[in-house]
Amino acid sequence: NEVGVSQRHLGKYSNSAYALVMPTSQIDILENYVWLDGLQVLRTGGGEIVGLSNGALDMKLSNSIIMGPGSSSNTECFCSSGGAGSLYVWNNIFTGCYSDPTGALHITGLTAAYVYNNTFYNNRVGIYQTSGTYARVKNNIAGVAPTQGRGSD
């Protein structure tokens, strides 16, 4: 059951394509082994857009556009708040997320995170890693923001 060419996003947010638009709610991952693939998500108010909650194992996020409301918000595009498993993030576009200090992709409390081939555009911070998570970050691009990468052990 592959997605047809007409159903794929064009590499940028489009009002004419299907989008999950959320003023205040969020996608909160509570189950193990969840894979979000090919979503176009817009958050019109502040807050977290996609969250991986404590205890959830091995989550994948791929081929999606995650868009926050822009610089007037306190929004994280994606936040992992712990779990015993790994996070796999590839081929996504993250834009408009201005949470301070974490920004677009906040990685914390996991065994490992693998972040490949993503675009971080117009966020306060692109990738923010804390709390001992091993993070392998390769072939990502970040631009047009005050800071695009931060990390600590």
Side-chain angles (χ1 to χ4, degrees):
N1 296 337
E2 294 185 27
V3 175
V5 173
S6 66
Q7 296 170 302
R8 297 177 187 162
H9 64 71
L10 301 173
K12 63 181 183 176
Y13 189 87
S14 171
N15 289 323
S16 63
Y18 173 79
L20 177 59
V21 179
M22 304 179 303
T24 56
S25 59
Q26 70 186 39
I27 300 170
D28 197 9
I29 308 300
L30 303 171
E31 298 296 326
N32 298 329
Y33 311 109
V34 172
W35 186 353
L36 300 180
D37 186 42
L39 295 178
Q40 181 175 266
V41 181
L42 171 62
R43 176 74 182 245
T44 58
E48 195 174 280
I49 299 175
V50 179
L52 178 63
S53 294
N54 288 329
L57 297 173
D58 293 349
M59 194 260 174
K60 298 175 183 179
L61 176 63
S62 62
N63 307 310
S64 297
I65 299 173
I66 311 295
M67 185 173 175
S71 62
S72 62
S73 71
N74 187 26
T75 303
E76 285 181 317
C77 286
F78 184 95
C79 178
S80 66
S81 59
S86 297
L87 171 66
Y88 302 87
V89 180
W90 72 96
N91 295 340
N92 299 287
I93 299 170
F94 297 91
T95 185
C97 293
Y98 274 79
S99 181
D100 186 16
T102 57
L105 181 60
H106 181 195
I107 304 166
T108 184
L110 296 167
T111 303
Y114 303 91
V115 182
Y116 298 115
N117 304 328
N118 297 285
T119 300
F120 298 90
Y121 178 77
N122 201 26
N123 302 293
R124 178 167 171 70
V125 174
I127 302 168
Y128 186 80
Q129 179 265 331
T130 58
S131 298
T133 297
Y134 168 80
R136 178 177 288 270
V137 178
K138 272 179 101 169
N139 200 34
N140 296 282
I141 187 167
V144 189
T147 306
Q148 285 301 325
R150 292 186 186 174
S152 64
D153 288 329

